[in-house]
């Protein structure tokens, strides 16, 4: 019985942890929504801006606008789960997982099964801004070459809230 009780408590903790609100901007009675509360819903990409740096110097940059054949539709649920529907050349790819947000960071853990094997990977984004209609996140990928050259790829995605 004791073993069952501890297993039950552990299971409840595992289920409850992803839905915990780690947002340090808790609602304080002012009517302001937290970052986590603002993110809940469906968001469609408008554009992304990218910059490539080599040893801290900008090499290239640009802006890419999404259309009906290429876009991402991310849906965040209050229970801490999400669905990432990515459309590439009219073909839909659906990914699922869990998310947690603070006032400045978004952590997404993807959980998929491919050919009978469970796969899991995480993405961490900086939240540049979020309000009721617009959501902007930044992703930075850094590589260090064998010769010490540092490459940074910065991508900033702009999303619009879907009704």
């Amino acid at each position: 019985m004791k073993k069952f009780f501890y297993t039950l408590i552990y299971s409840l903790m595992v289920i409850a942890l992803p839905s915990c609100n780690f947002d340090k901007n808790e609602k304080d009675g002012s009517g302001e929504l937290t970052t986590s509360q603002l993110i809940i819903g469906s968001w469609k990409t408008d554009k992304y801006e990218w910059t490539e740096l080599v040893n801290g110097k900008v090499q290239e940059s640009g802006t890419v606008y999404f259309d009906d054949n290429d876009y991402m539709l991310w849906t965040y649920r209050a229970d801490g789960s999400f669905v990432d529907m990515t459309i590439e050349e009219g073909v839909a790819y659906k990914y699922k997982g869990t998310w947690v947000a603070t006032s400045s960071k978004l952590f997404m853990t993807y959980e998929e099964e491919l050919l009978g094997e469970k796969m899991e990977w995480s993405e961490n984004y900086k939240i540049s801004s979020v309000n009721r209609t617009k959501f902007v996140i930044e992703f930075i990928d850094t590589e260090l070459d064998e010769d010490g050259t540092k490459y940074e790829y910065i991508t900033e995605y702009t999303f619009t809230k879907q009704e």
Side-chain angles (χ1 to χ4, degrees):
M1 184 70 169
K2 206 180 218 185
K3 197 175 199 179
F4 171 76
F5 177 74
Y6 287 121
T7 303
L8 178 64
I9 295 299
Y10 177 75
S11 298
L12 289 173
M13 287 174 53
V14 168
I15 292 168
L17 184 60
S19 64
C20 289
N21 183 355
F22 292 97
D23 195 331
K24 64 183 179 187
N25 295 330
E26 291 296 324
K27 208 170 189 179
D28 60 3
S30 68
E32 295 280 327
L33 294 177
T34 65
T35 301
S36 294
Q37 291 168 324
L38 286 168
I39 290 173
I40 294 169
S42 294
W43 300 86
K44 185 177 179 182
T45 47
D46 294 324
K47 67 178 180 174
Y48 71 89
E49 297 178 47
W50 59 274
T51 304
E52 178 184 345
L53 298 118
V54 177
N55 292 327
K57 295 181 181 168
V58 175
Q59 299 299 303
E60 292 184 69
S61 64
T63 302
V64 176
Y65 293 90
F66 290 95
D67 60 27
D68 289 340
N69 287 318
D70 293 287
Y71 65 90
M72 296 182 298
L73 180 65
W74 290 1
T75 301
Y76 298 94
R77 298 186 181 117
D79 68 359
S81 66
F82 74 86
V83 175
D84 168 349
M85 183 67 72
T86 298
I87 311 298
E88 293 178 357
E89 296 181 11
V91 178
Y93 300 92
K94 185 176 181 179
Y95 306 97
K96 296 178 182 180
T98 58
W99 69 278
V100 174
T102 68
S103 60
S104 61
K105 298 283 184 188
L106 172 62
F107 305 95
M108 295 172 62
T109 301
Y110 289 79
E111 300 156 356
E112 293 298 319
E113 193 167 312
L114 184 62
L115 301 173
E117 281 196 45
K118 187 175 181 179
M119 299 178 63
E120 187 174 296
W121 69 97
S122 296
E123 299 290 349
N124 301 319
Y125 299 95
K126 174 186 168 200
I127 298 174
S128 299
S129 66
V130 62
N131 60 39
R132 294 176 191 273
T133 60
K134 194 176 202 177
F135 180 35
V136 182
I137 57 174
E138 182 180 278
F139 177 76
I140 300 174
D141 187 24
T142 304
E143 296 175 15
L144 192 59
D145 228 354
E146 289 177 7
D147 66 0
T149 304
K150 182 179 177 181
Y151 297 91
E152 291 177 279
Y153 307 95
I154 303 168
T155 308
E156 187 174 78
Y157 295 96
T158 301
F159 293 82
T160 299
K161 184 86 171 245
Q162 302 300 290
E163 297 301 320

